[in-house]
Amino acid sequence: MPLRAKVATSVSRTAAALSRAAGRGDGSVIGGWIGLKIDPDLLKNLAAGRAIALVSGTNGKTTTTRFAAAALGVLGPVATNSFGANMPTGHTSALAKAGATPFAVLEVDEHYLARVIDETTPRVVALLNLSRDQLDRAKEVAMMAQMWRTALAAHPDVHVVANADDPMVVWAAVNTAHVVWFSAGQRWHDDSFVCPECGSPIERANGDWRCTGCPLRRPQAQWTVEDDGVIDPRGDWHLVKLQLPGHVNLGNAATALAVAAEFGVRPIEAVPRLAGVASVAGRYAQVERDGRNIRLLLAKNPASWLEAFDMAEVAPTLLSINARDPDGFDTSWLYDVDFSPLRGRQVLITGDRAYDLAVRLEVNDVAFRHVQTFDEAVRASPPGRLEVIANYTAFQDIRAELDRVN
Ligand SMILES: [Zn+2]
C-alpha cells in the first residue's frame, strides 16, 4: 500500500477507536471520513488484493451481508461492515479496521453502488430488491434500476447474483455476462407494476412474471427456497436451520449461499455457519423481561412491514412509529401498508406518531390499544411472546430502553 494510504488507515482506525471510547457509536463513519480526507483513494487502496462481494438492495442487505460473511468464513478471515454503516466512509472504516483479510463482504447503500463498484472492483455483486423507501416513489425506483444497469455495464467482469422475482432487479442485471439468479420471493409488487424496459403492465401468476409488451420476463432461478431449505444449482436440497425468523430470512440465506458459491464455497460447508447468526445489529434480538419473551423486528418501509408481519408469530404485538429525521417526517406511507394480517392479534401501539397509526388501524379494521411507554406495553401483554415491530428511531428507542434495564 502507498505510504499515504498506510498513514490514512492508521489515523482512520485511531479516530474510530477514540469515537467508540467516547461512547459515540461504533466510530465507523468518522473513522472512514478522516481516512478519506487524508487519502481520497483510501477505499480503492484498502480493497486492492482482496476478493470482495457487495450486497445491495432496499431491504435485507444487512442480514444478507451477515450471512454471506459467515458463509465466506469457511475460506478465511472476512472483513465486513456488520453495523450497517453502508456508505463509502463505512466501507473504508471496515476495511481499515479489519487489517489484511483475503475476503470482504460489504453492505452497500443502493445509491452508492456504482461508486463502490468503481472503487473496490468486486468479484461478486448481489442485488436483492428495489422498492420505495419512506416516501420515495416508483419513479425513483426505476432511476435506481437504471443506475445499477449502467454500473454493471461498465464492469463486465463482475459476477452478479440477482433476484429473479424482482422485475426491477432483473432489468438491471439481465444484460450482464455472468449472472446467477436466485428466487427469494417478492411480497411487495407496488413498485413493479409496469415494465422498466417498455412501460407495459407486468403480469404475475404463481410466482412467475412477464412483461405483456416486450420479452422481459422472469429468468429461471438457479437457487431457490423450498420448505425449510435451499435448492442449489445442481438440484440438491439443503436443510437450512436459522435462528432468524421467517421465509424472508430463508431467502436471504439462499442469496448468501449463492454469493459464497461464487467464491467456491459449497453449500454443505456454508449452511452450518448460517445457523450461528442470532441477531443482526439488534434486529431479531430476543430479550426476557417479566415473563415476556420480547422479540424486536425493524420495519423501515412498506415492503419491510409486510415482511415483518410474515416473520412475527401470531402473538401480542407492539407497533411503534416515530417520524424523526431518519424515519422521514411524513407518515402517509402507513397507507401503503396493509395491516389486516394483524386482525385478531392483541395489538398495542406507541411512539411519537401512534395516533397516525391509530387512524390507519381503524381504517384497516384492526383493534388496538394505545400505550404511553414500553413498560406499559409489557404490563399490558400476557406472559409469553411479545412481538415488537418498529420503524427506525422507534426501534432505537426500544433497544436503548431494553439495554438500560438488562
Ligand atoms: Zn416490457
Side-chain angles (χ1 to χ4, degrees), residues 305-356:
W305 276 90
L306 295 190
E307 291 173 356
F309 296 156
D310 176 65
M311 287 180 213
E313 283 176 21
V314 179
T317 303
L318 172 68
L319 307 176
S320 184
I321 301 287
N322 287 348
R324 300 176 200 162
D325 193 39
D327 309 308
F329 298 120
D330 187 331
T331 57
S332 61
W333 59 266
L334 285 167
Y335 290 83
D336 289 339
V337 180
D338 177 14
F339 286 85
S340 63
L342 297 177
R343 277 180 208 150
R345 300 185 203 181
Q346 182 191 1
V347 175
L348 301 159
I349 65 169
T350 194
D352 299 349
R353 302 298 280 269
Y355 292 148
D356 295 358

Side-chain angles (χ1 to χ4, degrees), residues 91-285:
H91 306 138
T92 303
S93 193
L95 297 181
K97 189 177 163 195
T101 64
F103 303 99
V105 181
L106 299 174
E107 169 189 341
V108 184
D109 180 283
E110 51 277 27
H111 299 80
Y112 287 88
L113 185 61
R115 177 174 156 196
V116 178
I117 291 176
D118 282 344
E119 298 199 356
T120 63
T121 324
R123 183 184 295 185
V124 178
V125 173
L127 305 177
L128 308 185
N129 48 61
L130 281 173
S131 71
R132 68 189 69 174
D133 218 4
Q134 295 152 5
L135 270 190
D136 299 349
R137 288 305 175 201
K139 185 158 184 248
E140 294 180 45
V141 171
M143 277 169 51
M144 196 73 72
Q146 177 67 65
M147 280 165 54
W148 282 8
R149 192 171 152 108
T150 307
L152 294 175
H155 294 270
D157 293 338
V158 168
H159 287 229
V160 180
V161 173
N163 186 359
D165 296 322
D166 186 327
M168 291 293 171
V169 168
V170 171
W171 183 73
V174 74
N175 291 335
T176 54
H178 314 280
V179 61
V180 171
W181 302 105
F182 64 87
S183 168
Q186 189 195 31
R187 213 162 258 99
W188 177 261
H189 295 156
D190 290 20
D191 293 317
S192 49
F193 269 132
V194 300
C195 174
E197 177 71 29
C198 74
S200 302
I202 284 176
E203 207 172 67
R204 289 187 159 83
N206 305 322
D208 199 4
W209 60 265
R210 62 167 65 235
C211 174
T212 53
C214 79
L216 192 73
R217 58 171 303 167
R218 182 182 181 278
Q220 183 77 38
Q222 286 98 335
W223 294 82
T224 55
V225 169
E226 191 177 288
D227 301 325
D228 47 357
V230 171
I231 301 177
D232 70 21
R234 296 169 44 183
D236 293 336
W237 181 83
H238 305 270
L239 175 65
V240 176
K241 281 194 188 275
L242 299 174
Q243 294 190 56
L244 306 191
H247 194 76
V248 173
N249 281 319
L250 203 51
N252 291 335
T255 311
L257 293 176
V259 168
E262 293 298 307
F263 292 83
V265 178
R266 294 181 303 149
I268 198 163
E269 301 168 298
V271 161
R273 289 174 176 253
L274 305 183
V277 178
S279 80
V280 177
R283 301 169 200 180
Y284 318 110

